[in-house]
Amino acid sequence: MQKRYVLALDQGTTSSRAVIFDSLSGNIAGIKNLPLQQFYPRPGWVEHDADDIFRDQMSAINGAIKMAGINTESIACIGITNQRETVVVWDRNTGKPVHRAIVWQCRRSSEICDSLKTAGLRDKIKSKTGLVIDAYFSGTKIKWILDHVEGAREKAQRGELLAGTIDSWLIWNLTGGRKHITDYSNASRTMLYNINDLKWDDELLGELGIPACMLPEVVSSSGVCAYTHEKILGERIPISGIAGDQHASLFGQACFKRGDAKNTYGTGCFILMNTGKTPVVSKNNLITTIAWGIDSEVEYALEGSVFNAGAAIQWLKDELGIIKTAHESDIEAKKVPDTGGVYVVPAFTGLGAPYWDMYARGTILGLTRGTNKRHIIRATLESIAYQCRDVLEAMKLDSGIELNALKVDGGVSASNFLMQFQADVLNISVQRPVIRETTALGSAFLAGLGVGIWTSKEEIEQAWNLDKAYMPGENKKYYDSLYLRWKKAVEKSMKWDI
Ligand code: G3P
C-alpha cells in the first residue's frame, strides 16, 4: 500500500490523541482519543503519570490505525505535538520516571520563582529566554524534582537522569530509548533555552542547579529526526515533526505571515501571533517564543497564555454540577440576556498573561438575590472572551499590529455563543476553520513537510478552509463597558493566596 498517511500524536493536558491524515484527500482517516487522569496532590499542584501518558498514546495510535483500516506500513511519517512545559525526569537506564510528571498548571515551584526574582534575574531571564519568571515554565519544575526526590541531584550529576517535556518523553519511548531530543519550540518553553543564541543557557542551568547532561538535543521542528523502534510499532517509521501544541496549531492555521494570529480554546487559551524572523520583546507582559525552527531558520511568535478557559467549563460541569455537558453551557448562557452584572474570574491556578499572578484565585463578583445558575454559566463563558481581549490588547501594543481577524480552534471554539461574544468583545472577525483538529493537523503538516509530502508553506496555506466567520455587532460601546468592569473584577482576584 502506498505510504500516504501521516500519523499525528497530540498529547494534551486532558487527553492523548492520535489522528491519521490521508495526505491525498487532506481528510482525517482515523482518530482515537483517551482521557488522561489528573492528580491534584495539594491545592494548586497538578501531576500526570508519565507511564500512563505513553501507554494511552500507544492505545490511541492503535485505535486510530484500526479506525482508518490501514496498517503501519502505509504510514509515511509521524508528527508529535504536546502539552508544553509539563516535565518528566526519568532514569536513563531503567526508563522509569523518578516522579510523576509536573504539569504546566502546577504552582509548586512558585517559591523558587520568587527567589529568582529576588536575585534580580527578571530582566536577564526575559532577554535570554523571552519568558517572564513563572512556575508555568519547566525549569523550576525540574529544580523542584532535583531538590525533593531523594538522591535525584546526585544521580543527575552522574548523568543517570534525563529531563524533558512530553515530546521528549514520547520520542524516548517510541525509539526504545535511543533518542533524547526536543525541538526549538518546546525548548523555548523551559526557561533554560537561549532563544537568541539557540542554545541551552549555562548560566541559567547554573542558577537552577540543573546539569546540562539531563537535557535533550534540540532539533528542527520539521525533518526526520528519529525512527520508531521496530519493537514499538513493528516498523521503523520516521518521526519528522515536533512542536509544542500551540505552535503546531499556529502552523495548522497557516499563520505564516507576520501579524497572523490564532487562539486555541482548550484547557486554557493560547493566543500566538507570528512575528517573523526577529523576536519581539514584549513590554506588556506577553512572552516571546520560538514559533518553529525549520532547517535552523527560526521564526518567532508573541504569546499570551490564559490558564483557564475550557477548564472553567469543566469546573461548571464536574465541580459545581450545574451543567451535564460542555455544550449545555452554550444553551444555558443564551437563556439569559446578560449576566445580570455577575463576573467570574476563573483564576483557579493563578493568572497567566498579561497579569502573571501566581497567587490570584478564582472569584465570583456581583452576586445579587436574583442571580441564578444561568448567570454564572454565562459569566464563566464570557470570562474566556475577556481574558483573550486582555492578551490581544497587549499584543497590539507590543507589535504595533492592528488585527482584523483572529483564527480560532480547539474544543471550546465549537461554542457559537462564545465565538460571537468573542467577536463582539474584540470588535474583529473571528474565523473558525473546517478542520478544528488544527493542532494535530499542524503537526501532520510539519511531519509531512519534513519528508516531502507537502513541499512548501504555500501548498499548506491552500489546504486551510474557512468553516464560519463571526462578525462583530454594532454595539462596540456596550461591549467596551462590559470589558472595563471585567478589569475591575480581575483586580479583586489578584494576590489572594499569599
Ligand atoms: O502551555 C500549555 C499548553 O501547551 C497546554 O495545551 O491543549 O493541552 O491544554 P492543552
Side-chain angles (χ1 to χ4, degrees):
M1 199 193 282
Q2 200 189 350
K3 283 193 190 290
R4 61 188 241 203
Y5 296 98
V6 180
L7 169 61
L9 309 186
D10 177 4
Q11 204 299 307
T13 314
T14 52
S15 69
S16 305
R17 177 177 311 201
V19 187
I20 295 177
F21 290 93
D22 181 343
S23 67
L24 294 185
S25 65
N27 294 331
I28 292 176
I31 181 164
K32 178 80 185 171
N33 194 37
L34 283 128
L36 180 64
Q37 186 177 1
Q38 311 289 310
F39 297 91
Y40 306 108
R42 289 193 202 175
W45 289 28
V46 191
E47 297 177 351
H48 289 158
D49 181 319
D51 286 326
D52 281 358
I53 289 181
F54 184 62
R55 190 204 53 223
D56 288 357
Q57 199 59 73
M58 288 307 296
S59 310
I61 295 174
N62 291 325
I65 288 177
K66 196 164 162 206
M67 179 175 167
I70 61 168
N71 57 41
T72 45
E73 278 162 39
S74 54
I75 298 176
C77 56
I78 297 179
I80 290 178
T81 184
N82 52 288
Q83 53 168 319
R84 306 163 305 163
E85 301 94 17
T86 299
V87 81
V88 188
V89 174
W90 69 96
D91 186 311
R92 76 178 324 146
N93 299 312
T94 63
K96 286 279 147 220
V98 300
H99 192 274
R100 280 205 198 120
I102 302 186
V103 177
W104 58 276
Q105 297 156 317
C106 187
R107 308 276 90 198
R108 79 184 60 195
S109 56
S110 300
E111 282 173 15
I112 302 176
C113 293
D114 289 340
S115 64
L116 293 175
K117 288 180 194 163
T118 311
L121 289 169
R122 213 185 288 250
D123 292 345
K124 185 173 276 183
I125 288 184
K126 181 149 201 190
S127 67
K128 286 181 177 221
T129 67
L131 306 177
V132 298
I133 299 176
D134 192 90
Y136 176 27
F137 304 106
S138 324
T140 57
K141 299 180 196 291
I142 301 176
K143 174 173 166 54
W144 189 95
I145 292 179
L146 295 183
D147 287 347
H148 290 83
V149 174
E150 214 189 316
R153 178 156 278 111
E154 295 69 32
K155 277 180 114 181
Q157 277 155 351
R158 290 198 300 267
E160 291 167 25
L161 297 188
L162 300 177
T165 40
I166 297 297
D167 53 318
S168 300
W169 170 244
L170 291 178
I171 293 170
W172 171 267
N173 282 288
L174 285 167
T175 59
R178 286 180 185 161
K179 284 275 181 185
H180 186 36
I181 55 178
T182 189
D183 85 304
Y184 292 106
S185 69
N186 276 297
S188 75
R189 316 298 301 184
T190 56
M191 221 174 79
L192 303 171
Y193 192 68
N194 190 314
I195 62 166
N196 309 298
D197 301 351
L198 305 181
K199 281 191 194 123
W200 295 115
D201 192 277
D202 288 335
E203 191 184 356
L204 297 180
L205 291 175
E207 284 292 343
L208 290 169
I210 298 174
C213 58
M214 298 181 81
L215 298 173
E217 179 195 347
V218 181
V219 302
S220 178
S221 312
S222 178
V224 179
C225 54
Y227 288 87
T228 55
H229 193 287
E230 299 81 347
K231 277 196 238 149
I232 301 289
L233 286 167
E235 282 285 317
R236 269 170 56 81
I237 306 172
I239 298 173
S240 54
I242 316 176
D245 52 8
Q246 306 312 322
H247 313 249
S249 109
L250 190 70
F251 203 84
Q253 288 276 25
C255 289
F256 299 141
K257 288 192 282 300
R258 201 179 152 267
D260 285 352
K262 72 92 201 182
N263 185 11
T264 300
Y265 298 80
T267 315
C269 262
F270 298 94
I271 305 166
L272 273 77
M273 178 193 273
N274 187 326
T275 60
K277 299 206 167 74
T278 341
V280 172
V281 180
S282 175
K283 294 194 177 68
N284 295 284
N285 287 328
L286 298 178
I287 56 177
T288 309
T289 194
I290 296 181
W292 43 73
I294 302 180
D295 300 332
S296 7
E297 190 167 85
V298 160
E299 285 185 50
Y300 296 88
L302 267 176
E303 173 172 335
S305 319
V306 168
F307 292 158
N308 288 287
I313 301 176
Q314 259 176 356
W315 167 74
L316 293 175
K317 177 167 80 67
D318 300 339
E319 265 65 43
L320 295 195
I322 55 178
I323 49 171
K324 287 197 190 65
T325 61
H327 177 61
E328 215 179 295
S329 64
D330 217 38
I331 300 166
E332 292 300 309
K334 283 192 250 177
K335 287 186 183 159
V336 281
D338 52 44
T339 68
V342 173
Y343 281 82
V344 172
V345 184
F348 306 127
T349 49
L351 284 169
Y355 304 104
W356 297 107
D357 182 352
M358 298 182 279
Y359 303 104
R361 286 296 175 268
T363 306
I364 304 181
L365 285 145
L367 298 177
T368 63
R369 183 62 187 79
T371 300
N372 64 42
K373 68 172 189 175
R374 288 177 182 145
H375 295 118
I376 308 254
I377 293 168
R378 185 170 173 128
T380 304
L381 287 182
E382 290 188 358
S383 76
I384 299 173
Y386 293 135
Q387 294 184 91
C388 296
R389 175 157 169 185
D390 289 339
V391 169
L392 282 165
E393 298 261 327
M395 245 170 212
K396 190 159 60 179
L397 291 172
D398 277 338
S399 66
I401 295 170
E402 189 82 46
L403 277 193
N404 52 21
L406 177 69
K407 288 179 169 175
V408 297
D409 56 74
V412 184
S413 72
S415 164
N416 287 319
F417 167 77
L418 177 59
M419 292 303 103
Q420 184 55 55
F421 189 77
Q422 186 72 85
D424 290 328
V425 160
L426 293 175
N427 199 38
I428 59 173
S429 140
V430 165
Q431 304 182 345
R432 191 171 63 196
V434 174
I435 294 193
R436 281 184 235 163
E437 292 289 342
T438 325
T439 302
L441 182 64
S443 169
F445 281 151
L446 283 164
L449 196 64
V451 295
I453 287 184
W454 292 284
T455 52
S456 66
K457 286 188 192 156
E458 290 69 36
E459 200 182 328
I460 288 169
E461 217 163 355
Q462 301 292 317
W464 191 91
N465 288 311
L466 180 72
D467 164 40
K468 188 164 174 173
Y470 297 83
M471 302 310 289
E474 299 291 303
N475 210 347
K476 178 173 179 318
K477 265 200 182 144
Y478 169 68
Y479 290 103
D480 283 348
S481 68
L482 292 182
Y483 178 67
L484 270 183
R485 240 174 133 66
W486 157 260
K487 302 283 278 184
K488 273 178 100 175
V490 169
E491 267 171 42
K492 306 265 182 208
S493 76
M494 291 177 77
K495 307 259 175 290
W496 180 258
D497 195 34
I498 283 190

